[in-house]
């Protein structure tokens, strides 16, 4: 299981996503390959491109260490005066058992593309990439993708998957659990509930004036 988590999680740090990273070091072939893999995965999962309407990012963190039971560390970052991301960690005995990464972008389209670019950035060949993820129809957020694992002990894939990715409006979230005691899907649903409540309270679903 740990080997699977490592394979599925490596994409988080392999590529820096659109609008917030570099230009692949000027390597156009690398860019082309990555874009092709990204589109192939979106096509495989039958994902419709999200809206490009601008949505304002939050001015202060949405989460605290106390937002979700079990979280022991919370970090946040800013860009251009707005929150660009938040990270929450479940650490016990000096080891990270699970973590949540939350990225705030300028539109639903940016968030969706970042999700798929991150997944496409893994070291798996394209054939393996396309078999590694499934869309969860009733998952958290507007779009939910989970690691495709074989359920065990009469559990469902949702209960067993160690990795969950989802978008809500202009937000991209990844949840990775390294221990069976922490359900990645359960945590993802809790995160989504908090995000949905925050956005409803602040009216963040409305596009910014052009």
């Amino acid at each position: 299981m740990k080997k699977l988590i490592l394979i599925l999680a490596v994409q988080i740090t392999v590529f820096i996503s659109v609008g917030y990273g570099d230009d692949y070091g000027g390597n156009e072939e690398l860019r082309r390959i990555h874009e092709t893999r990204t589109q192939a995965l979106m096509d495989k999962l039958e994902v419709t491109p999200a809206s490009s309407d601008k949505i304002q990012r939050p001015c202060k963190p949405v989460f605290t260490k106390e937002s979700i039971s079990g979280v022991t560390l919370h970090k946040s970052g800013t860009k251009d005066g707005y929150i660009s991301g938040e990270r929450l960690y479940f650490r016990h005995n000096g080891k990270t058992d699970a973590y949540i990464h939350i990225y705030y972008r300028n539109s639903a389209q940016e968030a969706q593309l970042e999700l798929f670019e991150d997944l496409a950035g893994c070291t798996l060949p394209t054939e393996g990439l396309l078999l590694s993820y499934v869309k969860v129809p009733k998952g958290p957020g507007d779009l939910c993708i989970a690691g495709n694992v074989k359920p065990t002990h009469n559990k469902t894939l949702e209960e067993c998957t160690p990795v969950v990715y989802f978008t809500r409006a202009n937000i991209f979230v990844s949840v990775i659990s390294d221990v069976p005691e922490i359900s990645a899907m359960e945590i993802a649903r809790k995160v989504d509930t908090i995000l949905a409540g925050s956005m409803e309270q602040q009216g963040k679903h409305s596009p910014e004036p052009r």
Side-chain angles (χ1 to χ4, degrees), residues 43-116:
D43 291 343
K44 168 68 164 49
L45 298 178
E46 299 181 342
V47 173
T48 302
S51 170
S52 60
D53 289 344
K54 297 298 182 181
I55 303 175
Q56 183 175 304
R57 289 180 282 136
C59 298
K60 60 181 181 180
V62 174
F63 294 82
T64 67
K65 192 173 70 173
E66 289 72 35
S67 296
I68 298 176
S69 177
V71 169
T72 57
L73 179 64
H74 169 264
K75 298 180 179 181
S76 63
T78 60
K79 181 178 176 67
D80 302 326
Y82 294 96
I83 299 298
S84 58
E86 299 187 67
R87 298 188 176 193
L88 299 98
Y89 299 88
F90 297 76
R91 291 184 60 85
H92 298 92
N93 300 320
K95 175 180 176 294
T96 299
D97 293 330
Y99 57 87
I100 306 162
H101 289 181
I102 304 163
Y103 305 90
Y104 302 96
R105 296 308 182 228
N106 295 316
S107 69
Q109 186 178 77
E110 279 191 16
Q112 184 188 84
L113 184 58
E114 181 153 356
L115 184 158
F116 282 98

Side-chain angles (χ1 to χ4, degrees), residues 1-6 69-70 89-99 152 155 158-164 175-187:
M1 177 65 78
K2 289 185 177 181
K3 182 178 180 181
L4 172 63
I5 293 172
L6 178 60
S69 177
Y89 299 88
F90 297 76
R91 291 184 60 85
H92 298 92
N93 300 320
K95 175 180 176 294
T96 299
D97 293 330
Y99 57 87
T152 58
K155 292 185 176 182
E158 287 193 26
E159 294 174 309
C160 293
T161 185
V163 293
V164 177
V175 181
I176 297 181
S177 173
D178 197 25
V179 295
E181 294 80 16
I182 299 178
S183 167
M185 186 63 73
E186 182 179 336
I187 294 300

Side-chain angles (χ1 to χ4, degrees), residues 8-22 24 30-42 105 109-123 129 133 143 145 165 167 172:
L8 295 178
V10 69
Q11 65 271 25
I12 291 178
T13 54
V14 171
F15 283 99
I16 301 175
S17 299
V18 62
Y20 291 80
D22 60 16
Y24 299 89
L30 179 60
R31 177 191 293 277
R32 185 192 64 78
I33 292 172
H34 192 217
E35 289 177 349
T36 299
R37 284 163 59 86
T38 298
Q39 189 60 54
L41 185 57
M42 292 182 70
R105 296 308 182 228
Q109 186 178 77
E110 279 191 16
Q112 184 188 84
L113 184 58
E114 181 153 356
L115 184 158
F116 282 98
E117 286 196 335
D118 275 357
L119 298 185
C122 70
T123 55
L129 169 68
Y133 301 99
L143 170 68
I145 307 298
Y165 305 85
T167 60
F172 160 42

